[in-house]
Amino acid sequence: MTFELSPEHEQFRRSVRDFAEKEIAPHAAQWDREHHFPTDVVQKMGELGLMGLTAPEEFGGSGMAGEDGGFTSLCLAIEEIGRVDQSMGITLEAAVGLGINPILTFGTAEQKETWLPALVAGESIAGFGLTEPGAGSDAGATRTKAVLDDGEWVVNGAKQFITNSGSSITSLVTVTARTGEREDGRPEISTIIVPSGTPGFTAEKAYDKLGWHASDTHPLSFEDARVPEANLLGERGRGYAQFLATLDDGRVAIAALAVGCIQACLDMSLEYAGERQTFGGPIGRKQGVAFQVSDLQVMLDASRLLTYKAAAMKDAMDAGSASVSMGAFKQAAAVAKLYATESAVTATRIATQVFGGYGFMEEYPVTRFYRDAKVLEIGEGTSEVQRMLIARGLGLPVE
């Protein structure tokens, strides 16, 4: 398998790149400075069809699932948006992977009909409330609780670091919560849809973050927030399994975002190395610079191939192919996420070094990519968790 992109995929890439360079790139620095979440541009991404790449036509999506390469198309879109602005790249990734995907995969017919059309159109976005103050990588330590009372779930608890959860166009968050206890004493964790505006549900003040300044990220609190019993997403007690499945896809999408970051670093470094003059010539003729730029190309090619290998496996599974097992896909997703994100962090360090003192000045985009990259190693599964998953996939009894 070569994982070569089809002509249709390459044409799609060009269309997204054109959109990103016209609608996002000219404004990214200002949004970053002002910590501004541009809801109008998010909705334009929806109008372009980017939110519906993995959704069926009945909900307004493209119907490009499985053999049509819908997930690969999503990764291409995330890469190209992330190439000019990582904040908008993660906004797209989370809107589809964490907002639409859980409802599309586990929702009832009524839930899909209620929420998906607006989400797929980009008219609204949704968040996925998993992480808590005391439950990050150890998601089984969830403390948020939901109790059935007179036909309603009463939710109490807190979530943190939740993307797309508090904007003016956020329509809902899906949250994991303890809904009981299993016979073996372990908590029963379920997923519940909590619409925006529900009394007792509050999206607290947005975080002051190191990077991703133009993305929408909030802590959430729930104080006797009541929603209908029918807002249970999927089977009761299957919330843990549902979020694991959601994160498998998300890891590949985050890898695509990292590929966009590396591509940006290569583009910026190559241009600067050809223009910046020292000692009578461009700095790119110096091996100390040229070799570092060469390393960026190696990291880019390897990261891109790992990412689109995993994306192709996902599309093959969605198409019903028996040639790809879930275990193989999980392993490929973890490998792609680990390598691409760690490479992205290294790439931003190299690019900053190539720019020298100017790389420390906010007037150059390289500084924004430097700040944005670090979280790629943390979100949707830390590098440590990826190494643990890979080791387990190799058969090692790692804890």
Side-chain angles (χ1 to χ4, degrees), residues 77-106:
I78 293 168
E79 177 191 335
E80 289 299 329
I81 299 294
R83 176 176 163 268
V84 299
D85 186 14
Q86 291 278 290
S87 288
M88 287 296 95
I90 189 58
T91 297
L92 173 60
E93 189 277 335
V96 179
L98 303 180
I100 292 172
N101 190 44
I103 297 174
L104 181 62
T105 305
F106 305 110

Side-chain angles (χ1 to χ4, degrees), residues 215-228:
S215 73
D216 179 68
T217 320
H218 298 260
L220 309 178
S221 63
F222 304 88
E223 296 181 11
D224 292 330
R226 304 180 74 95
V227 298

Side-chain angles (χ1 to χ4, degrees), residues 292-371:
Q292 291 189 77
V293 177
S294 298
D295 288 342
L296 291 177
Q297 182 69 63
V298 175
M299 287 187 285
L300 175 64
D301 286 352
S303 297
R304 183 172 278 141
L305 285 170
L306 288 171
T307 298
Y308 290 106
K309 170 188 174 181
M313 294 171 74
K314 168 63 176 173
D315 280 327
M317 288 196 307
D318 287 346
S321 173
S323 63
V324 179
S325 68
M326 178 57 74
F329 169 65
K330 286 177 176 287
Q331 187 80 339
V335 169
K337 205 273 184 185
L338 175 64
Y339 185 82
T341 58
E342 294 199 341
S343 293
V345 172
T346 301
T348 60
R349 178 182 56 78
I350 290 174
T352 301
Q353 192 71 17
V354 168
F355 273 72
Y358 290 112
F360 202 63
M361 300 296 114
E362 286 289 349
E363 65 187 279
Y364 287 86
V366 67
T367 60
R368 173 162 46 88
F369 282 93
Y370 187 92
R371 288 185 282 102

Side-chain angles (χ1 to χ4, degrees), residues 97-393:
L98 303 180
I100 292 172
N101 190 44
I103 297 174
L104 181 62
T105 305
F106 305 110
T108 64
E110 182 179 356
Q111 289 169 344
K112 293 176 183 180
E113 291 169 2
T114 299
W115 300 109
L116 287 182
L119 293 173
V120 169
E123 296 168 2
S124 62
I125 54 178
F128 183 68
L130 171 65
T131 303
E132 297 186 2
S137 295
D138 182 14
T142 294
R143 289 290 177 264
T144 297
K145 293 183 178 181
V147 178
L148 267 180
D149 178 53
D150 196 24
E152 293 181 314
W153 290 105
V154 183
V155 184
N156 283 280
K159 300 291 180 177
Q160 67 179 9
F161 312 143
I162 310 304
T163 304
N164 293 348
S165 62
S167 76
S168 62
I169 60 172
T170 298
S171 60
L172 68 109
V173 293
T174 54
V175 299
T176 52
R178 292 183 175 222
T179 52
E181 190 174 282
R182 300 183 185 278
E183 293 181 357
D184 60 5
R186 292 183 301 149
E188 174 191 82
I189 298 176
S190 304
T191 308
I192 297 171
I193 296 172
V194 182
S196 298
T198 298
F201 164 39
T202 304
E204 306 289 351
K205 181 182 177 182
Y207 290 105
D208 186 11
K209 298 168 293 188
L210 170 67
W212 285 358
H213 288 171
S215 73
D216 179 68
T217 320
H218 298 260
L220 309 178
S221 63
F222 304 88
E223 296 181 11
D224 292 330
R226 304 180 74 95
V227 298
E229 183 177 358
N231 280 27
L232 178 71
L233 184 64
E235 294 181 41
R236 178 170 178 168
R238 294 287 296 169
Y240 193 79
Q242 289 169 9
F243 92 74
L244 286 177
T246 298
L247 291 183
D248 285 333
D249 295 358
R251 285 169 183 142
V252 184
I254 290 292
L257 184 58
V259 171
C261 178
I262 302 169
Q263 181 71 69
C265 289
L266 176 59
D267 293 344
M268 291 185 292
S269 297
L270 193 59
E271 180 180 7
Y272 189 79
E275 294 177 350
R276 173 67 171 165
Q277 299 287 314
T278 59
F279 304 104
I283 61 174
R285 73 179 184 179
K286 305 297 184 182
Q287 290 185 359
V289 173
F291 287 3
Q292 291 189 77
V293 177
S294 298
D295 288 342
L296 291 177
Q297 182 69 63
V298 175
M299 287 187 285
L300 175 64
D301 286 352
S303 297
R304 183 172 278 141
L305 285 170
L306 288 171
T307 298
Y308 290 106
K309 170 188 174 181
M313 294 171 74
K314 168 63 176 173
D315 280 327
M317 288 196 307
D318 287 346
S321 173
S323 63
V324 179
S325 68
M326 178 57 74
F329 169 65
K330 286 177 176 287
Q331 187 80 339
V335 169
K337 205 273 184 185
L338 175 64
Y339 185 82
T341 58
E342 294 199 341
S343 293
V345 172
T346 301
T348 60
R349 178 182 56 78
I350 290 174
T352 301
Q353 192 71 17
V354 168
F355 273 72
Y358 290 112
F360 202 63
M361 300 296 114
E362 286 289 349
E363 65 187 279
Y364 287 86
V366 67
T367 60
R368 173 162 46 88
F369 282 93
Y370 187 92
R371 288 185 282 102
D372 287 343
K374 180 57 192 175
V375 72
L376 296 171
E377 296 180 318
I378 299 171
E380 301 205 31
T382 63
S383 290
E384 291 76 15
V385 166
Q386 305 316 305
R387 287 185 166 87
M388 178 185 70
L389 295 173
I390 293 167
R392 288 176 179 174

